[in-house]
Amino acid sequence: MVTTLSGDPAQDDIMRAGTLAREIFSDVANKWALLIIETLGEGTLRFSELRDALEGISHKMLTQNLRMMERNGLVKRAVHPTVPPRVEYTLTEPGRELRATVDLMCEWTRRNIGHIENARHSFGS
């Protein structure tokens, strides 16, 4: 039996287009969201610390992903009244739960990178 949070099993079906479940899946299944979750898994970080830790992410992309993650309840944003304001990000409980899955994906990638590299090389030959 599947428990649904929305009360509407149709909205919880990730295989159906236009459902909340599909939208959430799309939000969190992008490379930057996964890397942000992995990075924040170690604790609270400021925006600049996150940007420095995530090589290649633009200011705009980090901002968009953090807003999406905050909207989905995966990240908590705290603004401290200092000059200049200090903004910090922390994973929420659902975000920490998702991090366990992200950790497994990172481990899988590390274990299989040689195999994938060989397959790509063979494919291109």
Side-chain angles (χ1 to χ4, degrees):
M1 182 174 144
V2 175
T3 304
T4 63
L5 293 177
S6 72
D8 180 358
Q11 279 299 309
D12 299 332
D13 186 352
I14 202 162
M15 298 304 184
R16 293 183 60 189
T19 64
L20 179 58
R22 174 81 65 95
E23 182 182 334
I24 293 166
F25 188 78
S26 177
D27 282 351
V28 300
N30 78 68
K31 73 176 179 182
W32 292 122
L34 295 173
L35 291 171
I36 291 166
I37 290 166
E38 184 66 13
T39 304
L40 282 176
E42 300 304 317
T44 300
L45 293 174
R46 295 175 70 171
F47 183 92
S48 60
E49 293 171 323
L50 266 171
R51 189 184 61 231
D52 292 346
L54 296 167
E55 185 176 320
I57 194 168
S58 68
H59 186 282
K60 179 182 176 182
M61 189 58 61
L62 180 56
T63 299
Q64 287 175 347
N65 274 273
L66 286 168
R67 285 183 182 155
M68 172 274 296
M69 294 169 73
E70 186 179 9
R71 177 175 53 99
N72 286 325
L74 302 174
V75 168
K76 180 183 175 197
R77 179 178 182 261
V79 180
H80 301 279
T82 59
V83 177
R86 190 175 83 233
V87 181
E88 296 177 327
Y89 297 89
T90 308
L91 291 178
T92 62
E93 184 58 34
R96 286 190 296 275
E97 287 179 30
L98 183 55
R99 185 183 182 226
T101 301
V102 173
D103 285 347
L104 291 172
M105 291 174 67
C106 291
E107 290 172 26
W108 176 89
T109 302
R110 289 180 188 107
R111 272 194 322 271
N112 291 285
I113 198 163
H115 171 78
I116 294 167
E117 187 176 40
N118 289 336
R120 287 182 173 192
H121 179 72
S122 296
F123 186 78
S125 316

